Amino acid sequence: GVQTCALPISAGRAPQAALVFLLYLAIAVAFYALPMIGDLGSRSIGVGKGDSKLYLWSLSWLPYALTHGVSPFFTTRVFAPDGVDLTWVTTLPAPSLALWPVTAAFGPLVAYNVLLLLAPALAGWAAFLLCREVTDRFWASAVGGYLVGFSTYMVGHLHGHANLVLLFPAPLAAWLVLRRLRGAIPPLLFVAALAGTLLFLFGSSTELFATTALFGVVAFAMALALFPERRRIFGVGLLVALAYAVVGTVLLPFLVDAFRNVPDAPLRPLDRASTDLLSFVLPRTSTLVGGARFRGITSRFTASIVEDGGYLGPLLLVAMGLSILAGWRRRATWFLVGFAGVTALLSLGPILHVLGEERWTLPGTWVARIPLLEHATPQRFTAYMAIGVAVLIADWL
């Protein structure tokens, strides 16, 4: 039936949502920070070099810019004396604001470590909400949330890509859309909540913002094709478009500057930044179980170990097969299978690679021709595959 709750999270489910967030946070601490939990100010989660140093600087930059009356979009503090335009640099403005008190009190390294610990817990929590909306079961949804928060994509990028692990607005946006479809959120509250979610996502990673929009369109088209409630789906789609219009209005000064400085060519060579076909079934060397055994094969993959988020593992693949067998007559099953399949296909990039060797052209070549999305990295699309697989498994459980 159609729910009529006026709040995004009903009062009865709020304690469960809080509990599952604390559970994921405890798992993150146990996995990544237990040996250094008392030393977050001098040791770093992840590799602590490369991109990590940019994020340390970024966590301090926005508070500095706001308190000193300088533009947050341009700085002469690096690449002096000419400086650099920051509209195409991942400076983490939204997390910088959220963690400003932590940065001011304990320094950027502590704030960075806190950010990396919160990221999987928040991603799992948001995916839990989405799974709970689909299944109405706590433990099945808790498993689904775990599969997103601690997916291969998340674990790999926790090596130091702070912007890319802030994935939680994507499943949170999907949850809001599903709640609106069921009449559980009033239209104006839905638009405001979705716009706020998208603003935080944009302020964390413009790439995730763009790819979330891409796969949102994919999900919208699939929903219109599969489900009979097309009028309701289309109506929610209009509200989603309104939320994006609100976001665009708020970000207009930034967007004007960004469009003036669009790179002339893709930021990364897509043939070296795509998932290998065998990545879904063979673990890379960073995987605890089986990684070393398959080193001789996976070393031929073109994607880096950190960036390769395709691995699902035998248990998940079996569970996916069982879920399809159990729900093959349900439209929702084929929606989830189709969404996970499309994201997996596009993560292969414009050219299929098998054991690092090029085979033939794929539909990903169309994405590479879309303005702005040409700068997105296909191998990172596995983040959305993880969301689709998690909801599918939770629904089966």
Side-chain angles (χ1 to χ4, degrees), residues 217-230 233 331 335:
V217 171
V218 170
F220 177 68
M222 290 176 58
L224 285 176
L226 283 173
F227 297 106
E229 301 87 357
R230 293 181 178 85
I233 294 170
R331 297 175 188 268
F335 172 82

Side-chain angles (χ1 to χ4, degrees), residues 4 22-23 41 69 126 154 174 185 261 263 286 390:
T4 57
L22 293 176
L23 174 63
M154 288 291 293
I185 310 177
N261 296 280
S286 58

